[in-house]
Amino acid sequence: MKVYATDAVWPSKTVYKYANVEGKKIFYREAGTQHKQTIVLLHGYPSSSHSYRELIPLLSGRYHVIAPDYLGSGYSDRPNLGDQKYTFELLARYVEGLLTTLKLKRYSLYVQDFGAPVGFRMLLSNPDQLDALIVQNGNAYLEGLTPARQAFFKNANEDKSQTQQDKLYSFTSEQAIVDKQYLRDVQNNTNVMSPDSWTHDSHFLQTRADRLIQVQLLQDYYNNLLDYPKWQAYLRKYQPPTLIVWGKNDPAFIAAGAKAYLKDVPNAELHLLDSGHFSVEEKPVEIAKYIVDFMDKLAIKNKQN
């Protein structure tokens, strides 16, 4: 499908910064500071803001772009597991703290994978700060998860046995990240997936403590499913301008989850891409064009109102 958007513009230089949030260092990538509209890019598992290294330059000529590493991921601090339990509530709190530190009062959110539960928690805390919502393989509906996937998250949360923890821990290994994450959905086109992606992720998952942070988040993930009704209620009440760009070849977060958004935000713009879970790795230009086109139409609509 051809994507119509205005011509590309020169990108702004991406810079790499840290902010102090509640005494912890939170790393973030920033570009396009001269622009008024801010887009915050929230990454998924098992990655970091590095996953947006190709998308940021495609957007930064037009928008102010912020892409943080969650607490416990990437270059951000990772408090000791003995002192800190990692939950999605915690991740959202630190992203909110970052945006407050940067004095960002309004923004659009791009959410993918883990980014959805982080982003929706932010929206429930500050429902009036959102300009637009951009969803890329980020679930807010049970329809987006097969029964087997729902059972997986339920078991991860409820089964505290060592056997279950060992199983979750195995998913954080370097080979699992390569085969069960990045290459899983591109078996017939593996050359589209940069080895930089899993090499970067693996660097930050070298120690047992690093990997157990992600295990704790996998254990907490079922609480997101329980919170879906709250997120859906937010969408129904506030009707945020919503763009959905969803990789339809994702067997984990299936395309039915994209279509389910239309129940609560019927005016959302939906595009199913010929890509998988890591669509921003496969089709960053196509996604950027959809975003630019969507934001342009939104700007025109806002002027008319």
Side-chain angles (χ1 to χ4, degrees):
M1 177 180 177
K2 185 174 178 59
V3 182
Y4 295 95
T6 52
D7 291 337
V9 295
W10 291 112
S12 168
K13 174 70 177 83
T14 302
V15 293
Y16 309 88
K17 300 180 178 181
Y18 288 93
N20 186 305
V21 179
E22 297 184 26
K24 304 295 188 294
K25 287 200 309 181
I26 299 298
F27 174 84
Y28 63 100
R29 299 165 196 254
E30 183 176 27
T33 53
Q34 71 272 28
H35 300 297
K36 292 182 180 179
Q37 286 183 298
T38 297
I39 300 178
V40 179
L41 308 175
L42 299 182
H43 68 81
Y45 170 85
S47 192
S48 65
S49 60
H50 177 263
S51 60
Y52 295 117
R53 66 197 177 281
E54 293 187 42
L55 185 61
I56 291 172
L58 295 169
L59 299 177
S60 64
R62 291 184 174 87
Y63 314 106
H64 175 214
V65 185
I66 296 285
D69 288 355
Y70 304 140
L71 188 74
S73 294
Y75 294 109
S76 289
D77 277 350
R78 46 197 73 212
N80 187 286
L81 287 160
D83 303 323
Q84 181 66 71
K85 183 177 181 180
Y86 286 82
T87 65
F88 287 94
E89 191 70 41
L90 179 77
L91 303 190
R93 193 177 92 209
Y94 275 87
V95 175
E96 282 184 315
L98 171 66
L99 300 187
T100 299
T101 299
L102 299 179
K103 299 180 179 178
L104 293 176
K105 296 181 179 179
R106 295 198 64 82
Y107 46 81
S108 297
L109 276 183
Y110 182 112
V111 300
Q112 188 263 344
D113 189 74
F114 275 14
V118 173
F120 274 105
R121 281 173 171 79
M122 292 168 59
L123 296 180
L124 292 183
S125 297
N126 299 286
D128 298 318
Q129 294 185 342
L130 185 73
D131 286 328
L133 179 64
I134 304 165
V135 181
Q136 187 252 297
N137 297 72
N139 270 320
Y141 295 84
L142 291 177
E143 289 92 329
L145 298 166
T146 62
R149 185 69 54 172
Q150 293 179 41
F152 167 80
F153 286 128
K154 191 171 190 291
N155 291 336
N157 179 263
E158 296 177 353
D159 185 351
K160 306 301 183 183
S161 70
Q162 188 62 49
T163 299
Q164 175 69 3
Q165 178 161 305
D166 290 345
K167 178 182 177 181
L168 296 175
Y169 187 80
S170 72
F171 295 149
T172 66
S173 72
E174 181 174 1
Q175 205 55 50
I177 289 169
V178 175
D179 295 335
K180 295 183 179 181
Q181 296 292 326
Y182 286 102
L183 297 186
R184 181 194 63 195
D185 304 346
V186 294
Q187 290 299 311
N188 297 321
N189 189 28
T190 56
N191 62 353
V192 75
M193 196 64 67
S194 170
D196 294 344
S197 56
W198 61 76
T199 301
H200 185 90
D201 291 356
S202 296
H203 173 78
F204 291 107
L205 291 171
Q206 290 183 351
T207 71
R208 179 171 177 79
D210 293 335
R211 293 171 65 178
L212 286 176
I213 289 172
Q214 301 304 317
V215 168
Q216 284 195 350
L217 291 170
L218 291 173
Q219 291 171 327
D220 187 50
Y221 197 91
Y222 184 63
N223 290 316
N224 298 323
L225 277 64
L226 300 180
D227 282 346
Y228 282 175
K230 296 179 185 177
W231 306 354
Q232 295 159 16
Y234 166 87
L235 294 172
R236 284 194 300 274
K237 179 177 179 180
Y238 290 94
Q239 292 297 305
T242 302
L243 169 67
I244 305 163
V245 281
W246 197 287
K248 64 182 180 181
N249 303 328
D250 184 349
F253 289 8
I254 58 178
K259 298 173 184 176
Y261 276 88
L262 300 178
K263 294 187 297 183
D264 294 314
V265 276
N267 293 323
E269 182 177 321
L270 169 62
H271 303 280
L272 295 179
L273 311 182
D274 186 17
S275 55
H277 189 70
F278 294 95
S279 292
V280 76
E281 295 276 359
E282 294 184 68
K283 295 183 178 292
V285 174
E286 186 172 339
I287 289 174
K289 287 181 177 180
Y290 278 127
I291 292 173
V292 170
D293 184 58
F294 172 75
M295 297 293 278
D296 282 351
K297 288 185 290 189
L298 183 59
I300 293 170
K301 182 179 179 180
N302 288 338
K303 283 183 181 179
Q304 292 173 343
N305 294 337

